Amino acid sequence: MQRCLDLATHAWPACRPNPMVGAVLVKEGRIIGEGFTQVYGGPHAEVMALKGMEGVDLSEAILYVSLEPCSHVGKTPPCADLIVQRGVGKVIIGAVDSHDKVSGQGVQRLRDAGVEVEVGVLEASCRWQNKRFFTFHELQRPYVILKWARTSDGFIDVERAVGEEALRISNTLSSQYVHRWRAEEMAILVGGETYRKDRPQLTTRLVHGPDARPVIWSKVLTEYELLPEQRDKALILRSDSVEALLTELYKQGIQSVLVEGGALVLKAFLEHGVYDEVRRITSPLRIGEGVKEPQWTGELAETSHLETDRLEWAIGSSLYGSL
C-alpha cells in the first residue's frame, strides 16, 4: 500500500479534480503491474496496473489500490467492472471513496462478483494524501490553506498606498516554495484591496506547474480592473462571509484554495475558524512598524528552514480528525 501511495504522487496535479490514486498488482509475491491515475479524462490507476494482463490468470493475484475503485461511468468505464473482468482474486483498498457516485458501491460490486475485498490498510495515510478530495466531498467546501510571510517582529507589509511597492519579506527559495504550493491547488485567493495595491500575477512562474485560478474576494472590484491576462480566468466573488465564499467556491468545483491575503482576508478566515492548514514564513527582517500579521494562536506541527527564512506549518482548527 505504501508503494501505491508513492505511485499516486506522480498523478498530481494533472489528475485533478480526480483524486491521486496508485495501484499495484501482485502475483506469487512479485509485482507484475502497477500504475497511477493519468491526466484528467485518462485511465485510472487500476487500468494502468492491469494493462497487458488480458489472458493472464489473476485468480490468485492481489490488487492493492489506495482508493476504492470507481463503480460508475464517468470519463472512463467503471474500474470495479474491469477488475472483475480480469478475474482478480483479491483487492486490498486503502480508503473508501466518499464521492456520492462511489461511496462503498465499488467495494460492494467486487464482493457481489466473488472478489475478496479488504478495506482500511494505511487508511489514514490514504485519506491524508487526498485531503482536498475528501474535504470537498464530505464537507462540501474546498480544502483551505492560509499562507503569509512575516518579519521577525510580526509585520506582513509596510503601510502604503495603491501603486507603492510592497515590502519584500521572504527570500528567493521561499518564493519558489510558494509558487510550488500555487501549482498544487486549484485556486489562489486574495482580497480586493490587496489586488488593487499589488496587481499580483498569481502565477507559478518560478517553478514548473499549472497556474491556479485567481479568485478575488471583493464587493467593489470590477473585471475591468483585472490584469488583461486574468480577465478570462479570474473569479471575482462578492460574498458577505467566509462561509458564503466557500459555498460559492464549492459550487464552482474548486476543491482547494490557497489564501494569500491580505491581512483582512486572513483575519476573516482565522476568526471564522474554517481552515485546514497554516503555512507561515518568517524572515529575519525587522521593520519596527507596518501592517501587523493576523493573530493566530494555533500549535505548530512542523518547522523547517528555507535558507534564512523559517517555514512553520500547522494543521488548522477545522480539519476533521479522520484525515
Side-chain angles (χ1 to χ4, degrees):
M1 190 59 70
Q2 184 58 54
R3 176 60 180 165
C4 291
L5 289 167
D6 294 342
L7 286 166
T9 62
H10 297 293
W12 194 257
C15 66
R16 64 189 187 193
N18 283 341
M20 56 186 117
V21 181
V24 175
L25 183 64
V26 176
K27 183 178 180 181
E28 297 176 351
R30 292 190 308 113
I31 293 177
I32 61 172
E34 61 181 24
F36 54 85
T37 311
Q38 300 298 292
V39 64
Y40 180 59
H44 290 185
E46 301 92 326
V47 176
M48 301 303 294
L50 291 167
K51 192 174 182 179
M53 293 297 141
E54 298 86 347
V56 177
D57 181 8
L58 299 178
S59 59
E60 299 297 320
I62 302 173
L63 179 66
Y64 294 81
V65 60
S66 55
L67 189 66
E68 178 184 10
C70 61
S71 55
H72 66 287
V73 177
K75 294 282 186 179
T76 59
C79 291
D81 288 356
L82 177 66
I83 294 168
V84 172
Q85 291 165 10
R86 292 286 186 270
V88 177
K90 184 174 181 178
V91 177
I92 296 179
I93 297 168
V96 172
D97 188 337
S98 56
H99 192 295
D100 57 4
K101 292 183 178 179
V102 186
S103 194
Q105 297 177 54
V107 170
Q108 193 59 49
R109 184 170 298 192
L110 293 172
R111 286 175 172 160
D112 288 346
V115 179
E116 183 182 352
V117 179
E118 182 178 343
V119 179
V121 175
L122 294 185
E123 182 178 15
S125 296
C126 291
R127 285 179 60 81
W128 176 255
Q129 185 174 66
N130 278 302
K131 52 189 179 288
R132 301 166 181 85
F133 179 81
F134 284 113
T135 297
F136 184 80
H137 289 290
E138 294 180 12
L139 302 184
Q140 285 77 56
R141 66 163 176 83
Y143 188 85
V144 177
I145 301 169
L146 306 183
K147 165 263 165 185
W148 68 91
R150 65 171 185 165
T151 63
S152 60
D153 53 352
F155 297 97
I156 63 173
D157 201 354
V158 293
E159 296 286 356
R160 58 192 172 92
V162 173
E164 293 182 348
E165 188 174 351
L167 174 69
R168 182 181 174 88
I169 295 177
S170 53
N171 62 35
T172 300
L173 181 59
S174 295
S175 296
Q176 290 173 333
Y177 264 71
V178 171
H179 282 223
R180 189 183 72 184
W181 297 340
R182 289 177 176 180
E184 293 172 347
E185 311 313 328
M186 292 186 71
I188 307 170
L189 175 69
V190 296
E193 188 65 17
T194 295
Y195 189 87
R196 277 205 175 99
K197 282 184 176 180
D198 298 345
R199 309 291 285 169
Q201 297 180 55
L202 302 176
T203 64
T204 58
R205 60 193 178 277
L206 298 182
V207 298
H208 176 71
D211 288 334
R213 186 175 187 184
V215 178
I216 299 95
W217 186 14
S218 172
K219 291 185 177 181
V220 296
L221 191 78
T222 68
E223 63 180 55
Y224 303 104
E225 297 177 82
L226 297 174
L227 294 174
E229 64 269 26
Q230 293 175 342
R231 288 175 186 168
D232 290 336
K233 62 179 182 179
L235 181 64
I236 300 175
L237 295 181
R238 311 191 187 282
S239 310
D240 291 326
S241 65
V242 168
E243 185 176 9
L245 176 73
L246 293 176
T247 297
E248 185 57 38
L249 291 174
Y250 174 77
K251 291 178 180 177
Q252 293 284 336
I254 293 173
Q255 291 187 2
S256 63
V257 58
L258 180 65
V259 181
E260 292 204 18
L264 292 178
V265 170
L266 290 165
K267 179 182 178 183
F269 273 87
L270 289 167
E271 288 182 346
H272 192 65
V274 179
Y275 57 95
D276 302 295
E277 289 184 43
V278 169
R279 299 175 186 177
R280 184 172 66 183
I281 297 170
T282 302
S283 162
L285 180 67
R286 298 180 66 86
I287 61 174
E289 60 181 8
V291 180
K292 292 289 291 184
E293 71 169 316
Q295 293 302 304
W296 173 69
T297 57
E299 183 177 347
L300 291 176
E302 185 177 306
T303 300
S304 58
H305 284 87
L306 301 174
E307 295 179 344
T308 55
D309 292 346
R310 185 172 74 250
L311 170 60
E312 300 164 320
W313 174 80
I315 297 176
S317 59
S318 64
L319 184 64
Y320 52 105
S322 56
L323 281 182

